Amino acid sequence: MALLRETTLDCTVPNTSSSCLSFVLPSLFLFSSTSATMGKQTTLQLQNLSVEQLRAIKEQLDNDLQSLGRAHENLRVARIKFQESRASVEQFKQLPEGHKSMIPLSASLYVEGELADTQNVLVDVGTGYFIKQSGPRASDFFQRRIQSLSASMDDIAEAIGNARRQQSSVTDVMRSKMAARSQAQNEAA
């Protein structure tokens, strides 16, 4: 029996209960922040905030973008591993029984083995649990995981787009406030 090892990564989107802001009305520079514990929605008008407060919001958005980018990359790597596993199952089905192959025992240790059953594989479904599955069933399992990861990646990509738009709005308001402050200082002098 051949051994296919599924690699899973614990990829979570950063806690968005109070740190991540969701965009409401771009033309009015409004933000919305929903607290998970209170379920209330608070709207902030960026024009009413000081430059220091805007810098703090921009810094938080920068941190959120970095976290979301890392999560997206981790999901992309996991999806590639599932795609490789699925391709391995497809190639495995074509091998004859008795085929000699190198079997990985660890990342750097391989031993020679002989395929006794080319119709079934062991699939690591997480936390060290293996399930014996037929080739087509294992392929379906990997395909479902690939689709799930792709959907999660799409959600994170949307969150990244929202955070970038928010960041742009905050930056625009900061620039206009700093330009107005500079102009007021020049007029006063």
Side-chain angles (χ1 to χ4, degrees):
M1 183 179 299
L3 176 68
L4 293 178
R5 180 145 176 95
E6 168 195 324
T7 304
T8 59
L9 299 174
D10 184 20
C11 303
T12 56
V13 177
N15 181 2
T16 59
S17 64
S18 62
S19 63
C20 191
L21 302 171
S22 59
F23 205 64
V24 177
L25 298 172
S27 60
L28 299 177
F29 300 107
L30 295 177
F31 282 83
S32 168
S33 176
T34 304
S35 171
T37 57
M38 301 175 107
K40 295 181 180 178
Q41 194 170 29
T42 307
T43 302
L44 299 173
Q45 290 188 354
L46 294 180
Q47 293 292 351
N48 295 340
L49 299 176
S50 69
V51 174
E52 292 75 25
Q53 290 170 322
L54 291 170
R55 277 194 187 115
I57 291 172
K58 184 181 179 305
E59 185 177 316
Q60 181 62 48
L61 288 169
D62 290 343
N63 292 337
D64 289 347
L65 278 169
Q66 287 178 357
S67 296
L68 289 169
R70 283 191 300 273
H72 192 271
E73 179 61 20
N74 289 341
L75 289 173
R76 188 187 70 77
V77 168
R79 185 178 67 178
I80 288 170
K81 296 216 182 257
F82 282 118
Q83 289 168 335
E84 289 171 351
S85 294
R86 186 167 182 258
S88 294
V89 168
E90 296 300 322
Q91 289 175 353
F92 178 74
K93 290 190 289 188
Q94 299 171 0
L95 297 174
E97 287 188 14
H99 177 78
K100 293 191 185 276
S101 181
M102 297 300 286
I103 308 297
L105 294 180
S106 69
S108 61
L109 179 63
Y110 291 79
V111 295
E112 187 173 326
E114 189 174 295
L115 298 178
D117 179 6
T118 60
Q119 301 304 311
N120 297 298
V121 294
L122 285 178
V123 177
D124 181 356
V125 294
T127 63
Y129 288 99
F130 292 85
I131 296 177
K132 181 178 179 179
Q133 292 184 333
S134 67
R137 194 157 179 216
S139 266
D140 290 343
F141 171 80
F142 290 128
Q143 185 60 38
R144 286 191 310 273
R145 287 294 188 107
I146 291 166
Q147 289 170 342
S148 174
L149 289 171
S150 293
S152 294
M153 287 174 63
D154 291 344
D155 291 343
I156 290 176
E158 183 179 333
I160 288 171
N162 288 338
R164 284 186 178 148
R165 284 189 294 278
Q166 291 172 0
Q167 185 182 43
S168 176
S169 295
V170 169
T171 302
D172 290 345
V173 172
M174 278 178 55
R175 284 184 186 146
S176 68
K177 283 186 168 270
M178 291 181 354
R181 184 188 292 175
S182 176
Q183 186 178 3
Q185 288 174 351
N186 287 342
E187 288 175 2

